[in-house]
Amino acid sequence: MNFGVIAEYMPLYTEAFFLTIKIGWIGIAISFVLGIAVAFIMHFKIPVLSAISKAYIELFRNTPLLIQLFFLYFGLPKIGINISAEVCGALGLGLLGGSYMAETIRSGLDAVPKSQTESGKALGMKPLLIFKDIILPQAFATSVPGLLANIIFLLKETSVFSAISLMDLMFTAKDLIGLYYNTTECLVMLVIFYIIMLLPVSLIGSRVEKRVRYKMFGA
Amino acid sequence: MGEILTLKNVSKSFDDLVVLDNVDLSVNKGEVVVIIGPSGCGKSTLLRCINGLEDIQDGTISYEGDVGMVFQSYDLFPHKTILQNLTLAPVKVKKRNKAEVNKEALELLERVGLLSKKDNYPRQLSGGQKQRVAIVRALIMHPEVLLLDEITAALDPEMVREVLDVVLSLAKEGRTMIIVTHEMQFAKAVADRVVFIDGGSIVEEGTAKDIFENPRTDRLKRFLQTFSYEE
């Protein structure tokens, strides 16, 4: 292992690391908003929108992110929509993630007993208030493990961004290997940066999970 | 004392199954009506129709003010503290002043002996304690009529008393209540009027003395026999 090379590559990796994190988390934020909206529509079985949501979920869960990115990156300009690789990456990740988040949140919503809605109604609460103040927080607590798994999965999926020439971690590693053939150093650095990116999510996530679940269910 | 709640020809069915068949019932202000009857006779459905949790197919239900309800399984909100459980609806639905609602919540908790639990979560309370909180949660909405649906049915026997004592004290202060229960001794103690429902309609009604000591119909006699163990 040549530590001189590692030191030399460090700035490039660091830059790629922050770019990956930035686009990754923007994508995850999009997936959350999308996931909650779609889960809401499916939970309340809103006509038409429900069918559209179902189709969206099946389409995006059952196709690889790489192909979704190709469609966004190379397809959209053909119909006159030009977006940058960064926007494309975040959007692609958000759309893919939204389909996963929606299913996770929906299963959480369905797990909240119907009697919770009824006791809200008996207190004169309107459906939207019941959803926001009673159902969603409980659904969220049950969904935390699934949401966490989704977040980790999505952050790892960022590794295909290189295919649309985003200079993320994977792109940087491949690029450097291609140029200088320091394969071992480049791959070790890649692994370490991914761990630095994901380990805190894992650890903080487990703590959040324990806290929310303990508070509500005493487990 | 005028009528505060009136049901006229109320009918309710789930698909082909008729659950309530032409029920007429009126309740006066300050009256405590206890509804008894075999499982599946429509008692709970009647309460759920009154507060709009179930649609009715025929008839009318009219009442003054709000109707509050307490359920068999308490159904407190598990993610909120006891105090938050109580203040949520008054503040967000009735738009009342938060400090004032807090004060009232604490007074009511004190009254049912649970002031020390105000910052606990529901899971930290016993069944009887949860049910007392559920009663307070209904009371703080200032309902004109309080519906109690088998509120002791899910409790361990030693916790039944603490809940029923709260209900007895509410009856004493003149609250209008409709109570569905299987606790016959309690029914005798609390009821101004007892209504016996079987097969979705009111079969017999009268004072507790009438109903329990001089049942007129065979159906009521048979029902009451299931509660006695005399040889």
Side-chain angles (χ1 to χ4, degrees), chain A residues 3-212:
Chain A
F3 289 98
V5 170
I6 289 180
E8 195 185 323
Y9 294 167
M10 195 54 92
L12 287 172
Y13 268 92
T14 315
E15 198 181 326
F17 173 75
F18 285 115
L19 181 75
T20 309
I21 283 194
K22 186 179 89 181
I23 299 175
W25 280 101
I26 293 174
I28 287 166
I30 295 172
S31 75
F32 256 104
V33 175
L34 203 55
I36 290 175
V38 171
F40 178 90
I41 288 167
M42 305 229 317
H43 180 69
F44 285 104
K45 301 185 175 70
I46 299 172
V48 187
L49 288 179
S50 245
I52 296 172
S53 299
K54 191 87 192 128
Y56 154 71
I57 290 176
E58 296 308 338
L59 181 64
F60 279 85
R61 274 211 311 184
N62 298 313
T63 50
L65 177 60
L66 186 61
I67 296 171
Q68 294 165 16
L69 289 179
F70 280 163
F71 265 85
L72 291 174
Y73 193 63
F74 300 112
L76 287 182
K78 292 215 161 76
I79 54 167
I81 302 168
N82 283 300
I83 52 174
S84 70
E86 288 193 17
V87 174
C88 182
L91 196 61
L93 199 65
L95 285 167
L96 171 76
S99 65
Y100 276 81
M101 297 293 185
E103 283 290 280
T104 308
I105 296 168
R106 189 185 58 83
S107 70
L109 289 175
D110 292 350
V112 179
K114 210 174 143 235
S115 59
Q116 287 284 307
T117 304
E118 290 188 341
S119 52
K121 269 191 206 162
L123 289 167
M125 297 170 71
K126 294 273 182 292
L128 215 57
L129 185 63
I130 294 176
F131 182 77
K132 181 175 77 71
D133 279 21
I134 297 176
I135 309 300
L136 197 57
Q138 293 184 57
F140 180 71
T142 348
S143 308
V144 167
L147 295 173
L148 190 63
N150 289 349
I151 290 175
I152 292 173
F153 158 75
L154 290 171
L155 284 174
K156 287 192 290 196
E157 281 293 292
T158 57
S159 58
V160 306
F161 284 170
S162 58
I164 53 167
S165 57
L166 257 175
M167 300 222 271
D168 73 328
L169 283 170
M170 189 63 119
F171 184 96
T172 306
K174 281 202 284 196
D175 205 29
L176 289 170
I177 292 170
L179 285 170
Y180 308 111
Y181 303 109
N182 292 312
T183 314
T184 311
E185 287 79 0
C186 285
L187 290 182
V188 167
M189 287 178 83
L190 185 62
V191 169
I192 289 173
F193 271 102
Y194 267 106
I195 289 178
I196 294 174
M197 180 160 77
L198 288 163
L199 201 58
V201 178
S202 237
L203 295 177
I204 295 170
S206 309
R207 290 195 58 170
V208 170
E209 184 186 332
K210 271 196 196 115
R211 274 189 56 174
V212 194

Side-chain angles (χ1 to χ4, degrees), chain B residues 15 23 32 67 69 92 129-130 152 171 179 188-189 193 199:
Chain B
D15 297 323
V23 172
V32 177
V67 168
M69 181 150 175
K92 296 221 167 166
Q129 292 172 333
K130 277 189 261 201
T152 58
I179 302 173
K188 277 179 207 171
R193 181 154 50 112

